[in-house]
Amino acid sequence: MGEMNHQPGVPPPVGVPPPMGMQPMMNAPVGAGAMHQPYEQFNQLNYCVHSNPSWVQVAGLAFLHYLVMLGSTVMLVSIIVPAMGGGPGEKARVIQAFLFVSGINTLLQTLVGTRLPTVMNASFAFVVPVLSIARQFNTNDFESNHERFVHTMRATQGALIVASILNMILGYSRAWGAFAKKFSPVIMTPVVCVVGLGLFQIGFPQVGKCVEIGLPMLILAIVVQQYAPLYFRHIHERTTFLFERYSLLLCIGIVWAFAAILTAAGAYNHVSLKTQQHCRTDKSFLISSAPWIKISYPFHWGPPIFTAGHSFGMMGAVLVSSFESTGAHFATARLAGATPPPAHVLTRSIGLQVTVISEVVL
């Protein structure tokens, strides 16, 4: 009873394998403490949300993320600080405050917020309201540019504080989670694209201001990322791995060394001052004007100035940045193999973004 008989000499029947859609998905090795398998992992990605790369790779990739964030932070500060009347010293201190608070907010998001591998940074949606605040203060009304910068920063602080209250209400009241259920890619993608594509008129012309540095960077980035892995694949598989993951570090190192050589060789000694500021490696004065140790604390530029008009303009930027963050969280979850963030996770994340909104307050 219960045994299956078969004729001698006839091979036993072989079970039909399950369909491809029902087979378990092969993923990269997950961590020892992983309690859930990845929701979905793309074949071209080697890591998921539970993967544990080596410490060497983690350090290299973390430094790569830092450089990407540093580039956008420096470009953002280079736009708003000169318009506010600040010089190299003020620019260096604002960059320090941005990086410091971005690190705090990244830890909050990865430990308490969405718990996704996202790096939080200041949004470019706040550029327009900050520039509008800066244009309302005339240079003739102040004795120096530094005084004008401090006054503009105090007005910006007040607008950011009021706007952050709206951010907290949307997040901690769980209203944003109810709104997020009605969001679709058709709604979110145009909002993010309008903000991102609008920066081309600010960022891309910077390449033309120093063609001998910007153009080689573009060409080298395309060659190293797209063609070098295919060419060196037959030599060793490790070279393809290095080119695919650390190509940006390689390009930045080579181009920066090239610019330093041109500066030391005197290639820009007899050019205009504007060309020197864009091409030389020793004309930004950021490192020389920045203190070695700087501890950020609230309101070290003075008490905030609250104005209704400035606050309402900043509230619009808060809504745009919330759209951007929501789309980024969904995209990160999909690429990391995690489940889509539910409504209560999104609201918690949006509420915690009050830290990033109040970066300039530092």
Side-chain angles (χ1 to χ4, degrees):
M1 295 295 295
E3 295 183 358
M4 182 179 294
N5 297 325
H6 61 275
Q7 299 180 359
V10 179
V14 179
V16 180
M20 293 298 295
M22 299 177 59
Q23 291 183 355
M25 181 175 51
M26 301 301 294
N27 300 299
V30 299
M35 300 299 296
H36 305 281
Q37 290 295 326
Y39 179 77
E40 180 184 7
Q41 183 177 358
F42 295 101
N43 295 327
Q44 67 271 21
L45 300 180
N46 296 326
Y47 299 121
C48 65
V49 70
H50 292 307
S51 300
N52 290 329
S54 64
W55 283 105
V56 177
Q57 296 185 30
V58 169
L61 293 175
F63 184 66
L64 179 63
H65 282 78
Y66 169 76
L67 288 179
V68 174
M69 184 183 68
L70 179 63
S72 60
T73 300
V74 171
M75 187 173 70
L76 176 63
V77 174
S78 300
I79 296 171
I80 63 176
V81 172
M84 299 167 69
E90 290 79 10
K91 185 185 296 186
R93 283 187 285 273
V94 174
I95 291 175
Q96 291 172 342
F98 271 43
L99 295 177
F100 178 74
V101 184
S102 295
I104 294 177
N105 196 58
T106 299
L107 292 177
L108 288 176
Q109 290 292 340
T110 53
L111 298 177
V112 182
T114 58
R115 298 178 183 177
L116 291 171
T118 53
V119 178
M120 304 302 296
N121 196 10
S123 174
F124 281 87
F126 295 91
V127 172
V128 175
V130 172
L131 291 180
S132 65
I133 295 174
R135 292 192 180 100
Q136 289 186 6
F137 299 108
N138 193 354
T139 308
N140 299 328
D141 298 335
F142 303 95
E143 296 181 357
S144 63
N145 286 331
H146 177 72
E147 184 179 350
R148 174 172 172 258
F149 169 79
V150 171
H151 188 82
T152 307
M153 182 63 71
R154 292 170 57 193
T156 305
Q157 288 178 169
L160 285 172
I161 291 174
V162 176
S164 64
I165 296 176
L166 173 63
N167 211 71
M168 296 175 65
I169 294 175
L170 289 175
Y172 296 126
S173 66
R174 297 193 175 185
W176 190 258
F179 295 152
K181 295 179 181 180
K182 304 183 182 298
F183 295 162
S184 66
V186 178
I187 298 175
M188 300 174 62
T189 302
V191 176
V192 177
C193 288
V194 166
V195 177
L197 295 177
L199 299 174
F200 273 96
Q201 61 179 351
I202 300 175
F204 194 76
Q206 299 292 330
V207 179
K209 293 181 179 180
C210 188
V211 180
E212 57 268 34
I213 302 298
L215 188 60
M217 179 64 186
L218 287 178
I219 297 176
L220 185 63
I222 295 174
V223 172
V224 172
Q225 292 181 356
Q226 301 297 327
Y227 298 102
L230 300 177
Y231 179 77
F232 290 98
R233 181 174 297 176
H234 67 280
I235 299 177
H236 197 278
E237 185 178 355
R238 192 70 177 177
T239 58
T240 304
F241 168 81
L242 294 176
F243 280 120
E244 287 180 349
R245 303 205 178 157
Y246 304 104
S247 58
L248 184 59
L249 291 176
L250 179 63
C251 295
I252 292 176
I254 293 175
V255 174
W256 183 264
F258 175 65
I261 292 174
L262 291 179
T263 302
Y268 304 110
N269 291 341
H270 304 288
V271 297
S272 63
L273 180 60
K274 190 174 182 179
T275 303
Q276 292 183 14
Q277 291 176 350
H278 291 128
C279 298
R280 292 181 67 97
T281 58
D282 55 356
K283 286 294 184 180
S284 62
F285 303 109
L286 292 179
I287 298 178
S288 59
S289 59
W292 285 99
I293 299 176
K294 176 65 176 178
I295 300 177
S296 297
Y297 57 92
F299 310 126
H300 71 268
W301 276 299
I305 300 174
F306 297 97
T307 306
H310 299 163
S311 301
F312 281 109
M314 203 68 70
M315 287 180 184
V318 165
L319 296 177
V320 175
S321 66
S322 299
F323 271 102
E324 291 179 340
S325 300
T326 303
H329 293 325
F330 276 104
T332 303
R334 180 169 175 78
L335 293 174
T339 56
H344 69 277
V345 174
L346 288 176
T347 54
R348 184 175 60 199
S349 170
I350 296 300
L352 285 173
Q353 285 187 15
V354 63
T355 308
V356 126
I357 293 176
S358 302
E359 280 185 356
V360 184
V361 175
L362 294 174

